[in-house]
Amino acid sequence: VGRQHAEAWIADGSAEPLAMPDVPPLTSCGIAPLNGAGRAQAEALVTQIKGALEVAETDWTPGDALPFERTLLLGNVALRTDVAPVGFLKLDKWQVVAPLVSYATLAESAGSAEERARTHAVVRDLRCLLYEPACLFVRRSSDTHALLNDYAADVARGDDPMLALLRAVYVHKPIILACPPSWYLGRDYAG
């Protein structure tokens, strides 16, 4: 059934829209804006999502400890409100939940030639999809701390954030859930 048919059925009363189920309490969860970016998006998410969700008082910068047991690292991307609770809840089983940048953007088309060469040395094949570094759900653990430290070191050196994250993921091998790019509404940062 297409969207227009469904909306017509709802309008004439022959169907009812699906109600979103109540979100279980989000305990030990919070949003950490990235480097001055994402604070407005984080504040908007907190007001729209019911549950014990808060925004870190200071922005998270690469290398810092995660402020919450389950943290959403959010930059200048607009995360869909309906998927944010899902991301936090998936951290019960996964260490990292990350949407893909797109189904068309591969590592072979990101960064400089030197960065791609360094990435190829780790990954061995640049025909792989990239994770969105401005929208990461991360469970606090020694594994994810090491992953974020390596990612931070590469970003501090000026590397492309997408390739830096891909290298860190391949080196540390977290239990990662790749989500569709439809989880967020677009990118709004250089990188």
Side-chain angles (χ1 to χ4, degrees), residues 124-148:
R124 299 286 183 214
D125 189 352
L126 296 179
R127 296 173 297 173
C128 54
L129 298 171
L130 297 166
Y131 302 104
E132 177 54 73
C135 183
L136 294 174
F137 293 87
V138 183
R139 182 172 20 131
R140 189 176 5 183
S141 71
S142 58
D143 294 338
T144 58
H145 184 74
L147 177 139
L148 292 173

CSV table of all heavy atoms in Angstrom, one decimal, residues 124-148:
chain,number,residue,atom,x,y,z
A,124,ARG,N,41.7,-3.0,3.9
A,124,ARG,CA,42.1,-3.9,2.8
A,124,ARG,C,41.2,-3.8,1.6
A,124,ARG,O,41.5,-4.3,0.6
A,124,ARG,CB,42.2,-5.4,3.2
A,124,ARG,CG,43.2,-5.7,4.3
A,124,ARG,CD,44.5,-5.6,3.6
A,124,ARG,NE,45.6,-5.9,4.6
A,124,ARG,CZ,46.7,-5.3,4.7
A,124,ARG,NH1,47.1,-4.4,3.8
A,124,ARG,NH2,47.6,-5.7,5.6
A,125,ASP,N,40.0,-3.2,1.7
A,125,ASP,CA,39.1,-3.0,0.6
A,125,ASP,C,38.3,-1.7,0.8
A,125,ASP,O,37.5,-1.7,1.8
A,125,ASP,CB,38.2,-4.2,0.4
A,125,ASP,CG,37.4,-4.2,-0.9
A,125,ASP,OD1,37.4,-3.1,-1.6
A,125,ASP,OD2,36.7,-5.2,-1.1
A,126,LEU,N,38.4,-0.7,0.0
A,126,LEU,CA,37.7,0.5,0.2
A,126,LEU,C,36.3,0.5,-0.4
A,126,LEU,O,35.7,1.6,-0.4
A,126,LEU,CB,38.5,1.7,-0.4
A,126,LEU,CG,39.9,1.9,0.3
A,126,LEU,CD1,40.6,3.1,-0.4
A,126,LEU,CD2,39.7,2.1,1.8
A,127,ARG,N,35.9,-0.6,-0.9
A,127,ARG,CA,34.5,-0.7,-1.4
A,127,ARG,C,33.5,-1.0,-0.2
A,127,ARG,O,32.8,-2.0,-0.3
A,127,ARG,CB,34.4,-1.7,-2.5
A,127,ARG,CG,35.2,-1.4,-3.7
A,127,ARG,CD,35.2,-2.5,-4.7
A,127,ARG,NE,35.9,-3.6,-4.1
A,127,ARG,CZ,36.0,-4.8,-4.6
A,127,ARG,NH1,35.4,-5.1,-5.7
A,127,ARG,NH2,36.6,-5.8,-3.9
A,128,CYS,N,33.6,-0.2,0.8
A,128,CYS,CA,32.7,-0.5,2.0
A,128,CYS,C,32.0,0.8,2.3
A,128,CYS,O,32.5,1.9,2.1
A,128,CYS,CB,33.5,-1.1,3.2
A,128,CYS,SG,34.9,-0.1,3.7
A,129,LEU,N,30.8,0.7,2.9
A,129,LEU,CA,30.0,1.8,3.3
A,129,LEU,C,30.6,2.5,4.6
A,129,LEU,O,31.3,1.9,5.3
A,129,LEU,CB,28.6,1.3,3.6
A,129,LEU,CG,27.8,0.7,2.4
A,129,LEU,CD1,26.5,0.1,2.9
A,129,LEU,CD2,27.6,1.8,1.4
A,130,LEU,N,30.3,3.7,4.7
A,130,LEU,CA,30.8,4.5,5.8
A,130,LEU,C,29.7,4.8,6.9
A,130,LEU,O,28.5,5.0,6.6
A,130,LEU,CB,31.3,5.9,5.3
A,130,LEU,CG,32.5,5.7,4.3
A,130,LEU,CD1,32.7,7.1,3.6
A,130,LEU,CD2,33.7,5.3,5.0
A,131,TYR,N,30.1,4.9,8.1
A,131,TYR,CA,29.2,5.2,9.2
A,131,TYR,C,29.2,6.7,9.4
A,131,TYR,O,30.2,7.4,9.2
A,131,TYR,CB,29.7,4.6,10.5
A,131,TYR,CG,29.8,3.1,10.5
A,131,TYR,CD1,31.0,2.4,10.4
A,131,TYR,CD2,28.6,2.3,10.5
A,131,TYR,CE1,31.1,1.0,10.3
A,131,TYR,CE2,28.7,0.9,10.4
A,131,TYR,CZ,29.9,0.3,10.3
A,131,TYR,OH,30.0,-1.1,10.2
A,132,GLU,N,28.1,7.3,9.9
A,132,GLU,CA,28.0,8.7,10.1
A,132,GLU,C,28.6,9.1,11.4
A,132,GLU,O,28.1,8.7,12.5
A,132,GLU,CB,26.5,9.1,10.1
A,132,GLU,CG,26.2,10.6,10.4
A,132,GLU,CD,27.0,11.5,9.5
A,132,GLU,OE1,26.7,11.6,8.4
A,132,GLU,OE2,28.0,12.1,10.0
A,133,PRO,N,29.8,9.7,11.5
A,133,PRO,CA,30.4,10.1,12.7
A,133,PRO,C,29.7,11.1,13.5
A,133,PRO,O,30.0,11.3,14.7
A,133,PRO,CB,31.8,10.5,12.3
A,133,PRO,CG,31.7,11.0,10.9
A,133,PRO,CD,30.5,10.2,10.3
A,134,ALA,N,28.8,11.8,13.0
A,134,ALA,CA,28.1,12.9,13.7
A,134,ALA,C,26.8,12.4,14.3
A,134,ALA,O,26.0,13.1,14.8
A,134,ALA,CB,27.8,14.1,12.8
A,135,CYS,N,26.6,11.0,14.4
A,135,CYS,CA,25.4,10.4,15.0
A,135,CYS,C,25.8,9.0,15.4
A,135,CYS,O,25.5,8.0,14.7
A,135,CYS,CB,24.3,10.4,13.9
A,135,CYS,SG,22.7,9.8,14.5
A,136,LEU,N,26.4,8.9,16.6
A,136,LEU,CA,26.8,7.6,17.1
A,136,LEU,C,26.2,7.3,18.5
A,136,LEU,O,26.3,8.1,19.4
A,136,LEU,CB,28.3,7.5,17.3
A,136,LEU,CG,29.2,7.6,16.0
A,136,LEU,CD1,30.6,7.7,16.4
A,136,LEU,CD2,29.0,6.4,15.2
A,137,PHE,N,25.5,6.2,18.6
A,137,PHE,CA,25.1,5.7,19.9
A,137,PHE,C,26.2,4.8,20.4
A,137,PHE,O,26.5,3.9,19.7
A,137,PHE,CB,23.7,4.9,19.8
A,137,PHE,CG,22.6,5.8,19.3
A,137,PHE,CD1,22.3,6.0,18.0
A,137,PHE,CD2,21.7,6.3,20.3
A,137,PHE,CE1,21.2,6.7,17.6
A,137,PHE,CE2,20.6,7.0,19.9
A,137,PHE,CZ,20.3,7.2,18.6
A,138,VAL,N,26.7,5.1,21.6
A,138,VAL,CA,27.8,4.3,22.1
A,138,VAL,C,27.6,3.9,23.6
A,138,VAL,O,27.2,4.7,24.4
A,138,VAL,CB,29.1,5.2,22.0
A,138,VAL,CG1,30.3,4.4,22.5
A,138,VAL,CG2,29.3,5.7,20.6
A,139,ARG,N,27.8,2.6,23.8
A,139,ARG,CA,27.7,2.1,25.2
A,139,ARG,C,29.1,2.3,25.8
A,139,ARG,O,30.1,1.9,25.2
A,139,ARG,CB,27.3,0.6,25.2
A,139,ARG,CG,27.2,0.1,26.6
A,139,ARG,CD,26.6,-1.3,26.7
A,139,ARG,NE,26.6,-2.1,25.5
A,139,ARG,CZ,27.1,-3.3,25.4
A,139,ARG,NH1,27.5,-4.0,26.5
A,139,ARG,NH2,27.1,-4.0,24.3
A,140,ARG,N,29.2,2.8,27.0
A,140,ARG,CA,30.4,3.0,27.7
A,140,ARG,C,31.1,1.7,28.1
A,140,ARG,O,30.5,0.9,28.8
A,140,ARG,CB,30.2,3.9,29.0
A,140,ARG,CG,31.5,4.4,29.6
A,140,ARG,CD,31.3,5.3,30.8
A,140,ARG,NE,29.9,5.5,31.2
A,140,ARG,CZ,29.6,6.3,32.1
A,140,ARG,NH1,30.4,7.0,32.8
A,140,ARG,NH2,28.3,6.4,32.5
A,141,SER,N,32.3,1.5,27.6
A,141,SER,CA,33.1,0.3,27.9
A,141,SER,C,34.5,0.6,27.6
A,141,SER,O,34.8,1.6,26.9
A,141,SER,CB,32.6,-0.9,27.2
A,141,SER,OG,32.9,-0.8,25.8
A,142,SER,N,35.4,-0.3,28.0
A,142,SER,CA,36.8,-0.1,27.7
A,142,SER,C,37.1,-0.3,26.2
A,142,SER,O,37.9,0.4,25.6
A,142,SER,CB,37.7,-1.1,28.5
A,142,SER,OG,37.3,-2.4,28.1
A,143,ASP,N,36.3,-1.1,25.5
A,143,ASP,CA,36.4,-1.3,24.1
A,143,ASP,C,36.0,0.0,23.3
A,143,ASP,O,36.7,0.4,22.4
A,143,ASP,CB,35.5,-2.5,23.6
A,143,ASP,CG,36.0,-3.8,24.1
A,143,ASP,OD1,37.1,-3.9,24.5
A,143,ASP,OD2,35.1,-4.7,24.1
A,144,THR,N,34.9,0.5,23.7
A,144,THR,CA,34.4,1.7,23.0
A,144,THR,C,35.3,2.9,23.3
A,144,THR,O,35.5,3.8,22.5
A,144,THR,CB,32.9,2.0,23.2
A,144,THR,OG1,32.7,2.2,24.6
A,144,THR,CG2,32.0,0.9,22.7
A,145,HIS,N,35.8,3.0,24.5
A,145,HIS,CA,36.8,4.0,24.9
A,145,HIS,C,38.0,4.0,24.0
A,145,HIS,O,38.4,5.0,23.5
A,145,HIS,CB,37.1,3.9,26.4
A,145,HIS,CG,38.0,5.1,26.9
A,145,HIS,ND1,37.5,6.3,27.1
A,145,HIS,CD2,39.3,5.1,27.2
A,145,HIS,CE1,38.5,7.1,27.5
A,145,HIS,NE2,39.6,6.4,27.5
A,146,ALA,N,38.5,2.8,23.8
A,146,ALA,CA,39.7,2.7,22.9
A,146,ALA,C,39.4,3.1,21.5
A,146,ALA,O,40.2,3.7,20.8
A,146,ALA,CB,40.2,1.2,23.0
A,147,LEU,N,38.2,2.6,21.0
A,147,LEU,CA,37.8,3.0,19.7
A,147,LEU,C,37.7,4.5,19.5
A,147,LEU,O,38.2,5.1,18.6
A,147,LEU,CB,36.4,2.3,19.4
A,147,LEU,CG,35.8,2.7,18.1
A,147,LEU,CD1,35.1,1.4,17.5
A,147,LEU,CD2,34.7,3.8,18.2
A,148,LEU,N,37.0,5.2,20.5
A,148,LEU,CA,36.9,6.6,20.4
A,148,LEU,C,38.2,7.3,20.5
A,148,LEU,O,38.4,8.4,19.9
A,148,LEU,CB,35.9,7.1,21.4
A,148,LEU,CG,34.4,6.7,21.2
A,148,LEU,CD1,33.5,7.0,22.4
A,148,LEU,CD2,33.9,7.2,19.9
